[in-house]
Amino acid sequence: MIHFRSCGTKKAYNKFSSFTTIVRFSSTTSSKSSAPATTDLCDHHMQSPARLQIVHPNLFTSFGLKKSFHGKIQTVKCFESNPLVRETLSSPGDGDVLVVDGGGSPRCAIMGDMLATFAVTNGWSGVVVNGYIRDSMIINNLDVGVKALGTHPLKSLKDYRGEQNVRVSFGGVEFLPGHYLYSDGDGILVSEEELSLPP
């Protein structure tokens, strides 16, 4: 049986206020330039040797203040247990994107507001989760880009660490550490090489 725990309005407000403070701080200190539009990248690179891959459309919902983000890929593979996601986002991100393959499980959330806050404070450009997140109202006020299958109120287990920086596949795309990911409102692209647009 699952027992739900309630929290008072004051406690919830204080928690939300602390996260909005982090948002204001990160917004003034971020040096990462905005991501190029995925439509423009497709127009200029679809036939290039960079081997552009496009994630199946309409699989993911966008969360966080950053509606577009890009960076070098790091990966975590796990299933209903997120210690390695926490460990990775607690480390410097240097503008990278963390791709989490949670197996698409609809039984719990792989990431919540605390891990999203780690992503902000440690300089991650964004997180793509093949799974579900929780605390979405708070995450939507954080200066980070998150793509996930949806939301789920139940947190994950902590008994399986997972695998780090391995090849993962979902949405018709292979995600390899060291390749590049570009995400915005029109979709998610993956390229073997870093992409740019002509001046």
Side-chain angles (χ1 to χ4, degrees):
M1 179 181 294
I2 299 174
H3 297 280
F4 293 95
R5 184 173 47 136
S6 63
C7 63
T9 303
K10 183 176 180 180
K11 181 177 179 182
Y13 175 79
N14 289 338
K15 182 180 182 184
F16 183 82
S17 298
S18 66
F19 282 107
T20 55
T21 300
I22 292 173
V23 172
R24 288 194 295 270
F25 174 78
S26 62
S27 296
T28 58
T29 57
S30 175
S31 60
K32 190 73 174 177
S33 60
S34 60
T38 57
T39 51
D40 292 338
L41 291 173
C42 284
D43 290 347
H44 287 90
H45 294 284
M46 204 61 214
Q47 304 303 323
S48 76
R51 288 188 58 191
L52 224 58
Q53 299 180 80
I54 303 175
V55 174
H56 290 164
N58 302 319
L59 287 180
F60 292 92
T61 300
S62 179
F63 302 92
L65 291 175
K66 283 187 179 178
K67 299 308 177 185
S68 64
F69 58 90
H70 72 292
K72 187 178 291 186
I73 293 172
Q74 295 192 40
T75 67
V76 167
K77 187 174 184 178
C78 58
F79 186 75
E80 299 182 357
S81 184
N82 71 351
L84 189 53
V85 180
R86 181 188 184 97
E87 178 183 320
T88 304
L89 292 176
S90 298
S91 303
D94 298 323
D96 290 355
V97 175
L98 181 62
V99 176
V100 181
D101 185 3
S105 173
R107 300 196 299 184
C108 64
I110 292 295
M111 188 176 81
D113 55 359
M114 290 183 63
L115 300 195
T117 304
F118 293 157
V120 175
T121 57
N122 290 302
W124 291 86
S125 176
V127 185
V128 176
V129 182
N130 182 28
Y132 292 77
I133 67 165
R134 66 183 201 158
D135 305 311
S136 61
M137 291 183 65
I138 296 176
I139 292 175
N140 280 336
N141 284 278
L142 294 179
D143 189 28
V144 67
V146 176
K147 289 284 183 78
L149 298 180
T151 60
H152 197 296
L154 182 66
K155 66 182 179 181
S156 69
L157 301 173
K158 312 297 178 188
D159 54 0
Y160 169 61
R161 185 171 181 271
E163 302 174 83
Q164 188 173 28
N165 284 332
V166 296
R167 181 194 305 258
V168 299
S169 301
F170 55 84
V173 167
E174 286 189 331
F175 301 85
L176 277 73
H179 286 187
Y180 290 84
L181 184 146
Y182 300 81
S183 175
D184 63 14
D186 289 314
I188 301 173
L189 309 180
V190 173
S191 170
E192 293 181 355
E193 304 171 3
E194 188 171 11
L195 302 177
S196 61
L197 295 173

